[in-house]
Amino acid sequence: MYVLKNGFVVDSENGLYGKMDILIKNGEIVEIGENISINNAKEIKIYDLSGKTVFPGFIDMHVHLREPGREDKETIETGLKAAVAGGFVGVAPMPNTNPICDNKVVVDYILNQAKELKLAEIYPIGAITKGEKGEELAKIGEMFESGIVAVSDDGHPVTNSMLTRRAFQYIKQFDIPLISHSEDVYISKDGVMNEGEYSIKLGLKGIPNSAEEIMVDRDIILCEAENSRLHIAHASTNGSLRMVKEAKLRGVNVTVEVTPHHFTLTDEEVEKQDYSTDTKVNPPLRNKKDRDAIIEYIRDGIVDVIATDHAPHTKVDKNVEYDFAPFGISGIETAVGLVVTELLKKDVIDLNRMAELLSINPRKILKIKGGIKKGNLAKLSIIDIDKKWIVNKNEFYSKGINTPFNEMELYGKPYMTIVNGNIVMKNGEILG
């Protein structure tokens, strides 16, 4: 049994906003209130959270953990250590592992690995199609029974519209979303960065906004026609978010996420960092107009979720010419700092909105239980909002140190991560 004292608790879902204590026993929240009186104080551990903010546990609903198959890039263990270090109590890994997570056996393996580790929780995402080949539907029903929370062919968009239509029809019976990696690969083929001023200047083949927007539009149309559920992953353009806004106004069941790197950086970063392949991500860093539009859609409430698209790679993979490097940024350990620095401190969002973007909305979309409520298991993300820190990629718990944010000064350091009542991270140290 222990008590968290003097933290500033933020959970609009449960009407909490202010300084209060939280008493936790056997992993469960048993009392929430101001100045909780403690009997048998010698038997109760007290954690003073003065100056810290207590959020319902953050969920990163878009990560790549690489295991099984590419344990040189990341393992479930290193990925979950990175998650709790970054302030996340749970993650939803994409299915593009080797073998692909398109069947019950792989789903069970992932869940069992996470259960043994007792770090962050895992909510697997299953493939839409077998082998992510876009030819026939995967065994979605079987995977749902094993515990998947959504389906996606992230990294390999389903170009066959009829197959996508069938997927929307099929998932309705499970009430799970189809997560769309929105990319027309015929338009984006061989592109390595945003198409525009800097791709011309740097002599690199560009990826136009239309490659993303065409598929966003298609998937909204199919979702609306089938009255199904759609989640747009890593939206990066003004046009994509405008279409989502219009679809929401029509009543389409569509949600959307953006990443910290897309609301922080622009394609100019490729030049600033002298062709560093740590700036290479898909969808690419867009121009200032798109970046500013993303921020406004966050401010206006159109964006539902901030997710990292955590994509760790080895030094060997990234230490090649820009054209040949894999896409991806290792993002789970810098996400909270970027949200605080670029959004909270600049008054784009407030604390309640931060809780929505990182915890409440991801849980609603994926139907995950949580929240700071008496009787619930304690799943909490405790952040030192005003703490300044410098990103040091060599201190990452993730195997992937491919970050464009190295040596950047940020506000907002995760202080404590509590999963099912267990303190798994405190002040940067993994305890789980």
Side-chain angles (χ1 to χ4, degrees), residues 33 128 130 139 204 207-208 232 283 302 325 328 338 350 380 393 406 430:
I128 299 170
K130 290 183 180 179
K139 296 179 180 179
L204 296 172
I207 301 173
I232 302 295
I302 299 304
L338 290 167
D350 59 17
L380 305 170
K393 65 182 182 181
N406 193 45
I430 303 298

Side-chain angles (χ1 to χ4, degrees), residues 261 278 280-281 285 309-312 327-331 402-405:
H261 48 270
D278 290 340
K280 185 176 179 182
V281 66
L285 302 175
D309 193 8
H310 173 69
F327 293 101
I329 288 171
S330 182
N402 46 303
T403 173
F405 300 110

